[in-house]
Amino acid sequence: MLTYNGTVPGQTWRVRPGDRIEVLLRNELDTPTNLHTHGLVVSPQDNGDNPFISVDPGQSFEYRFDLPEDHPTGVFWYHPHRHGTVADQVFGGLYGALIVEGDEVPVSRERVLVVSDITLDGDGELASASAPQVMMGREGDLVLVNGQVRPELTARPGERERWRVINACTSRYLHLALPGQDLALLGIDGGHEPEVREVEQVLLAPGNRADLLVTTRGGTSELRSLGYDRGAMGMVRGGGDLSGPTTLATLAVSGDQAAALGPVPERPADPDLRDRPLDERREIAFTMTMGGGMMGPGRRGMMMDLGFDGRPFDADRVDQQTAAGSVEEWTITNPTPMDHPFHLHVWPMQLIETHGDQVSEPTWRDVVNVPANGRVRTLVDFTHHPGRSVYHCHILDHEDAGMMAVVETR
Ligand code: C2O
Ligand code: CU
Ligand code: CU
């Protein structure tokens, strides 16, 4: 596998709002790479969270990420973001958890569960993806939790655990459930639930994270993905096989009842951008069009041209120019027959409409799934961090194939 410092996943980084993270990235791979702090609200410029940097094999780069004092707490992650090699490198094992602390809840244990998938060939080497797999977004034969196949977790009854779950899969959707246990949602991405809410299941598109509370009951339960139909492209079927039901891990609960913990403290409400004046409205569409061009970096002989608004990614073109300090409404449409998770770097998005329904509570996400033939509406906060960055499909094969665009704020 490909690794950060020899482990899969890479080491978990724990930071607090106001912290500075310094990273020396040394590229010992044989392909160019770089580093992205997914979900962090930090500067995209220079040696910050800059997706335009390329670190060649044998080269090093010093990153510095400065978290503002009001940075949201929650579960984030880091992974490579060098256009053209992202899917191969993440699929190969390059990802790690990044926890922004500061919203402690009394729990008996915290677990970080990084879920990924991978395919190995008969020799135990990383398998490469075929053109149809790339077009749908490759999914691995093996689903891993912290680098292991179906690990067994153990606990005593009556424990309250905090589970930080990251969907680090290249393309697989996870529809999480833990039947037999009590599951509650603290937040998704950088967003916090106004009230801790009991849930039966949580859908995580590639790139999404969940902050969960698990209150244990005696017995053995499976952490499962229930399966999710993310669509199909003509003859290339999705539904049946892709993102199908699977067991991720087991949780064996036995022994003496654990001591009761204090109540979950009330959590501060997330801000609501609807209280701010709107500066601009835009509409952005995921597009897949019959392509002429078969080759090119990351294209792998794809028959389709993937992009936004009919154009593939071009690092030298600015697709959306926004004003520093503004609030914009972005409507993301998906006229294609498969789902695409929309991800915007640096600038937080507040979801205000999904499947035609208004979203009443402040709901902050950095990855929003846009269903096939559907749309979502968001508000984007450009208050902080002028500079140039990207939005893209978080099916990473699509991103490498050109489903990415440039946004510049100044
Ligand atoms: Cu998790 Cu632009 O990526
Ligand atoms: Cu990201
Ligand atoms: Cu996509």
Side-chain angles (χ1 to χ4, degrees):
M1 296 184 73
L2 312 179
T3 72
Y4 286 122
N5 294 345
T7 66
V8 175
Q11 190 192 332
T12 297
W13 303 352
R14 289 184 178 276
V15 299
R16 304 185 82 84
D19 279 357
R20 165 176 293 177
I21 308 173
E22 288 179 337
V23 182
L24 173 64
L25 180 73
R26 224 171 56 228
N27 184 2
E28 296 178 0
L29 310 172
D30 52 18
T31 48
T33 192
N34 66 13
L35 183 65
H36 168 51
T37 49
H38 180 128
L40 287 197
V41 185
V42 295
S43 173
Q45 305 198 53
D46 307 322
N47 60 345
D49 185 22
N50 183 342
F52 302 104
I53 284 167
S54 183
V55 183
D56 283 334
Q59 300 297 303
S60 299
F61 192 83
E62 282 180 56
Y63 283 95
R64 195 171 82 190
F65 309 103
D66 282 306
L67 279 67
E69 292 290 345
D70 62 352
H71 194 286
T73 57
V75 199
F76 303 87
W77 62 301
Y78 59 92
H79 63 79
H81 215 292
R82 165 60 165 74
H83 180 60
T85 64
V86 181
D88 282 343
Q89 291 183 0
V90 171
F91 197 69
L94 296 179
Y95 36 78
L98 201 174
I99 311 290
V100 181
E101 299 186 321
D103 60 352
E104 281 72 17
V105 170
V107 291
S108 47
R109 183 189 280 114
E110 179 169 321
R111 302 184 198 260
V112 175
L113 304 176
V114 181
V115 184
S116 61
D117 60 358
I118 191 169
T119 302
L120 302 174
D121 66 18
D123 300 323
E125 300 288 329
L126 272 176
S128 54
S130 66
Q133 284 170 335
V134 167
M135 192 169 79
M136 283 308 296
R138 78 185 82 176
E139 295 192 4
D141 296 342
L142 296 172
V143 182
L144 307 178
V145 176
N146 296 339
Q148 298 177 289
V149 177
R150 293 191 188 189
E152 189 187 81
L153 317 173
T154 57
R156 289 158 60 199
E159 293 206 76
R160 185 198 286 149
E161 301 195 344
R162 187 169 191 175
W163 289 16
R164 318 270 208 167
V165 186
I166 298 170
N167 185 356
C169 297
T170 307
S171 318
R172 179 188 296 268
Y173 284 59
L174 298 173
H175 195 178
L176 296 178
L178 185 60
Q181 305 293 328
D182 292 329
L183 200 59
L185 186 63
L186 289 171
I188 289 185
D189 296 357
H192 307 85
E193 290 296 308
E195 262 164 79
V196 180
R197 187 156 70 76
E198 301 272 319
V199 289
E200 294 290 323
Q201 54 206 33
V202 179
L203 180 67
L204 297 182
N208 276 137
R209 293 85 60 205
D211 195 353
L212 297 165
L213 285 182
V214 175
T215 307
T216 54
R217 296 164 179 264
T220 297
S221 300
E222 289 188 334
L223 175 64
R224 297 194 43 84
S225 178
L226 302 174
Y228 180 75
D229 181 358
R230 61 186 182 89
M233 279 305 299
M235 300 301 288
V236 185
R237 277 295 306 153
D241 352 39
L242 289 180
S243 295
T246 185
T247 299
L248 307 176
T250 58
L251 174 66
V253 182
S254 64
D256 300 337
Q257 184 81 13
L261 294 161
V264 177
E266 219 174 290
R267 298 154 65 79
D270 282 345
D272 194 339
L273 279 183
R274 287 169 290 205
D275 300 336
R276 303 244 312 259
L278 194 61
D279 295 287
E280 188 87 51
R281 284 199 166 90
R282 299 171 199 258
E283 197 168 309
I284 294 171
F286 285 98
T287 47
M288 296 175 104
T289 44
M290 280 316 278
M294 300 272 289
M295 290 302 151
R299 301 286 310 278
R300 288 180 203 258
M302 290 244 266
M303 306 288 292
M304 305 291 266
D305 282 327
L306 272 61
F308 284 98
D309 303 306
R311 295 184 302 226
F313 176 64
D314 177 351
D316 296 322
R317 181 187 68 223
V318 173
D319 297 278
Q320 315 295 340
Q321 180 83 58
T322 69
S326 65
V327 173
E328 297 202 354
E329 185 184 281
W330 286 21
T331 301
I332 320 298
T333 63
N334 177 5
T336 81
M338 61 186 291
D339 289 23
H340 301 280
F342 182 83
H343 173 48
L344 172 63
H345 287 207
V346 175
W347 301 285
M349 292 187 289
Q350 182 183 344
L351 195 55
I352 55 168
E353 187 198 301
T354 153
H355 322 295
D357 298 328
Q358 305 300 312
V359 177
S360 54
E361 299 292 342
T363 302
W364 292 84
R365 297 286 183 270
D366 52 65
V367 176
V368 177
N369 187 49
V370 190
N373 298 309
R375 68 165 202 201
V376 301
R377 216 183 272 273
T378 66
L379 297 175
V380 187
D381 184 2
F382 289 103
T383 305
H384 299 296
H385 304 308
R388 225 159 58 96
S389 195
V390 292
Y391 54 89
H392 60 90
C393 179
H394 218 290
I395 290 176
L396 295 173
D397 283 303
H398 291 177
E399 188 260 273
D400 278 336
M403 206 171 243
M404 178 153 78
V406 175
V407 48
E408 183 182 53
T409 302
R410 59 175 188 207

